Amino acid sequence: MKQRVITAVCLLAVLAVIVWQIKTPLLVIAVAFLSAVASWEIMSCANVQNTFIKAVGTAFSAITPFFASARIMTPWISEDTWSRVISIVPNIVFIIALCLVFLLAMLKGYAYTTFEDVAVSIFASVAVPFGFSLFIRLRDMFDNMQFGVYLIFYALICALATDTGAQLTGMAIGKHKMSPNISPKKTVEGAAGGLITSLVLNAVAMTIYNKVALVPLDKSMFTVLFVCTIPVSFMGMMGDLSASVLKRNFGVKDFGKIFPGHGGVMDRLDSSLFTLPCTYAIALITKIIL
């Protein structure tokens, strides 16, 4: 317990610094680090033996977030300059090249590299960093960056509040197993408590945002985000269960040990990789309609 508390305090201190500098390139550096570690964790848990594939996949994961937005390097590099850099080659070309490199590496190391290794590595090197890149895309998708930053916290609250609320409620009154074959400790009562916790905390967060923001949420946006809290939070729970399935398939308890007492990056942010895309989709739709 002492180790968990110390790690939690250290993580909160790092998070405070990132939030303080969230409008600078420090955010993409942090996201690139998380993305690379998460990809390495998945490939390691899947027992990918090909060191070349793991190294290239991890490097690709670290680089991917830098292509998420033209504003990402401001003020170090101007938006116009970075826009030209990242638009030279379409992103799909890099993904195709990565797949070809992995397949060639499989042929060279066929004695210890399977197609399953390649498939897992492509997922870890493409899908996972894209999910983490949504931290950047959300921040920069609106002219009002303050609202973009709020959307990041909205996605995180949906993930973390649901997880915490479900755990506490389940411990208190949980009786009916929600998914005993995947995660025996999760209960229906806990899931309901998690959704309610997320709904309450997001309502509080939106109210606070409207009091301090330069451009408050209008009634339509407030209603959309509040109503969408339940489905987004539900998807966060599905992300947690999906991660549990992966760990069971890999035969491991945690994805990693980078956070002593808390596991790895994927153990902490598995739910967020589901709530971030949902939040991004909602933001895109509302940006078009409203």
Side-chain angles (χ1 to χ4, degrees):
M1 178 60 71
K2 181 179 179 181
Q3 189 180 54
R4 287 177 62 89
V5 172
I6 293 174
T7 302
V9 171
C10 293
L11 289 175
L12 287 173
V14 173
L15 178 62
V17 174
I18 295 173
V19 171
W20 175 44
Q21 294 291 314
I22 200 167
K23 295 183 180 181
T24 73
L26 180 62
L27 177 63
V28 71
I29 293 173
V31 170
F33 173 76
L34 294 174
S35 177
V37 173
S39 297
W40 178 270
E41 288 175 348
I42 292 174
M43 289 185 282
S44 296
C45 287
N47 200 28
V48 175
Q49 299 292 320
N50 194 309
T51 304
F52 175 78
I53 286 180
K54 289 177 70 176
V56 172
T58 301
F60 190 89
S61 299
I63 294 171
T64 297
F66 287 89
F67 288 76
S69 167
R71 299 162 62 180
I72 205 165
M73 297 305 292
T74 306
W76 297 354
I77 302 175
S78 70
E79 182 176 343
D80 290 340
T81 300
W82 196 246
S83 177
R84 288 194 293 270
V85 170
I86 64 178
S87 63
I88 292 175
V89 180
N91 291 341
I92 188 64
V93 174
F94 292 112
I95 296 175
I96 293 172
L98 180 74
C99 294
L100 293 176
V101 168
F102 280 1
L103 290 172
L104 292 174
M106 179 184 69
L107 295 178
K108 187 176 185 301
Y110 68 92
Y112 54 90
T113 307
T114 65
F115 178 74
E116 287 78 7
D117 292 339
V118 173
V120 168
S121 299
I122 290 174
F123 169 79
S125 306
V126 177
V128 171
F130 178 80
F132 279 105
S133 295
L134 291 175
F135 280 112
I136 313 298
R137 295 179 184 274
L138 282 171
R139 186 197 68 174
D140 293 346
M141 70 181 299
F142 292 93
D143 293 333
N144 178 15
M145 186 179 288
Q146 191 177 44
F147 178 57
V149 171
Y150 164 72
L151 288 176
I152 294 175
F153 284 96
Y154 174 82
L156 291 176
I157 291 173
C158 285
L160 302 179
T162 303
D163 184 53
T164 303
Q167 184 177 14
L168 295 177
T169 306
M171 291 171 60
I173 60 173
K175 293 182 180 180
H176 301 87
K177 301 296 183 182
M178 184 173 72
S179 184
N181 295 326
I182 298 176
S183 187
K185 293 183 179 180
K186 288 182 170 56
T187 63
V188 175
E189 292 82 1
L195 294 176
I196 293 172
T197 302
S198 178
L199 197 65
V200 171
L201 290 183
N202 267 301
V204 172
M206 282 187 276
T207 302
I208 294 174
Y209 177 82
N210 272 358
K211 289 184 178 298
V212 301
L214 297 176
V215 182
L217 299 173
D218 59 33
K219 186 175 181 179
S220 298
M221 182 59 74
F222 190 104
T223 302
V224 168
L225 291 176
F226 183 74
V227 170
C228 288
T229 296
I230 293 298
V232 174
S233 298
F234 175 79
M235 289 305 297
M237 287 195 293
M238 295 304 100
D240 189 36
L241 286 174
S242 297
S244 296
V245 170
L246 287 178
K247 286 187 282 190
R248 283 186 174 274
N249 289 341
F250 296 152
V252 300
K253 181 181 179 181
D254 296 316
F255 279 104
K257 299 179 180 179
I258 191 171
F259 303 135
H262 292 265
V265 171
M266 283 298 297
D267 294 296
R268 293 301 90 203
L269 295 174
D270 48 8
S271 300
S272 301
L273 289 178
F274 276 59
T275 61
L276 283 166
C278 291
T279 302
Y280 185 67
I282 293 169
L284 282 177
I285 294 171
T286 53
K287 187 176 182 180
I288 295 172
I289 297 176
L290 299 180

